[in-house]
Amino acid sequence: MTTTTSTSAVEINFDGLVGPTHNYAGLSFGNVASASNRDQISRPRDAALQGLGKMRAMLRAGLPQGVFPPVARPEINVLRALGFAGTDAEVWAAAFDAEPALARQALAASSMWTANAATVSPSPDCADGRLHFTTANLATMLHRFLEAPHTERLLRRAFSDTAHFAVHAALPPHATFADEGAANHMRLCAHHGAPGVEVFVYGREAGAAATEKFPARQTLESVRAIARAHGLDPARTIFARQSPRAIDAGAFHNDVVAVANENVLFFHEHAFAEKDALLAEISAKAEGLFTPVFVEAPAARVSLEDAVRSYLFNAQLVRFPGEDRMTLVAPKEVEETPSVAAWLADLVAGNGPIGAVLTMNLRESMRNGGGPACLRLRVAVTDAERAAIRPGFLLDEPGIAALEAWVGRHYRETLGPDDLRDPNLVTEIWRALDELTRILPLGGDFYPFQRT
Ligand code: SUG
């Protein structure tokens, strides 16, 4: 087992660029925001600019920032497989006329939530000393399951250097191995380049009777397989069950009720099925590596419902350069939820590890259940690994400005249910994405429509 430590290692957040079809289709049963905003008018341009605004804020605060391109939607090849024929625009219009509900699954811009793209184990945790990714199969929700081929292709492009990176294909796409990626994975460590304790949170065991009214999207079988494939040391790996109560309150991923950074675990009292056992196991497995600090939000101060409404935990817990205490990068909604605002004020006034809250307006994504944490995939890298990432996936200010200008040129201001059938939508999107492959280093054959 390699337990190398690189003190200059950093964590890079790869945010998903919101795609041009961002809309409210109510596709995710168990995701309260998605269900309650169904058929509202979305604002794709604002959505993409809000996401880029967060990327710029993180960059200006001194953190490296990466970006992943959106998946091409509608998913024409799947619609073709379902018997629709003609040009891409004709396939889309025919599918929308015949099977509108299915067509909307094929239109989702859900690849923006890159916390669900893959599970990532940094190299100090992996037996072969490489950084491992497992593409998430997202097998529970049809619209999300359709993302996996795009994600794998993207990861192989951005992290193509096999001396440093191992990209695994998605697990077999069956309910037994249902996997939602990093949204159900936490890592605790002394610092990003040190060996860590990886905590995989699952909602159910395959074959067990459902105990929730909402689906538990992650299985124990899936996370065991990922830990094996990544070559993780069982002495530093934990499998913990999410509490059914949290799932039923709308925490369809663990990152709606918990987030970890370095040695800090920030979580809701009812996040885990067996909290005390989990905390004890973290402490035991961290021994000799770091001293964990647990920051628990008690239900008496913040109800599960308010945690879900505000997305308090769906935050990026980060240490800005030179800061002693961490900052919680949270959605604006935390200020608008009185119980949460009051509890956060007390939290930062105390002398715990979290010293500041920075709020972001991510309203468009939030209305589909995607907060700051959903929008990013964390990849902790050594200097050598960082240098091996394909240039162009890491952003600087001119890069962000170029993407903003691209959004301004191509994205519709609004998109409502009545706009979706429009065959021009397809041509418009293909033109935009084709241009994107010249802004980001994707190559002229990245998207399926470029290969036919
Ligand atoms: O999978 N929403 C996404 C939100 C994902 C949030 N990610 C994390 N928690 N990490 C989901 O439920 C809604 C799409 C719609 O209804 O149009 C949606 O897919």
Side-chain angles (χ1 to χ4, degrees), residues 258-302:
V259 59
N261 183 52
E262 298 176 7
N263 64 333
V264 176
L265 175 62
F266 175 48
F267 61 100
H268 189 272
E269 181 181 346
H270 298 313
F272 309 110
E274 291 170 52
K275 178 187 72 179
D276 295 339
L278 170 62
L279 302 187
E281 192 174 356
I282 293 174
S283 297
K285 292 191 165 171
E287 187 124 17
L289 295 174
F290 59 92
T291 307
V293 176
F294 302 123
V295 181
E296 175 174 346
R301 294 287 313 267
V302 176

Side-chain angles (χ1 to χ4, degrees), residues 23-31 33-35 38 104 108-110 113-116 138 141 143-144 147 180 182-184 217 252-256 311 314 365 367-371 373-375:
N23 76 104
Y24 300 122
L27 301 177
S28 284
F29 179 58
N31 170 339
S34 155
R38 175 187 199 124
R104 290 189 74 170
S110 48
W113 299 298
T114 55
N116 304 117
L138 294 166
M141 299 281 164
H143 68 293
R144 303 228 55 187
E147 293 168 39
E180 300 272 322
N184 291 325
R217 297 196 200 177
F252 53 94
H253 292 131
N254 173 63
D255 70 3
V256 176
Y311 260 38
N314 198 259
S365 169
R367 296 180 73 217
N368 250 338
C374 303
L375 286 162

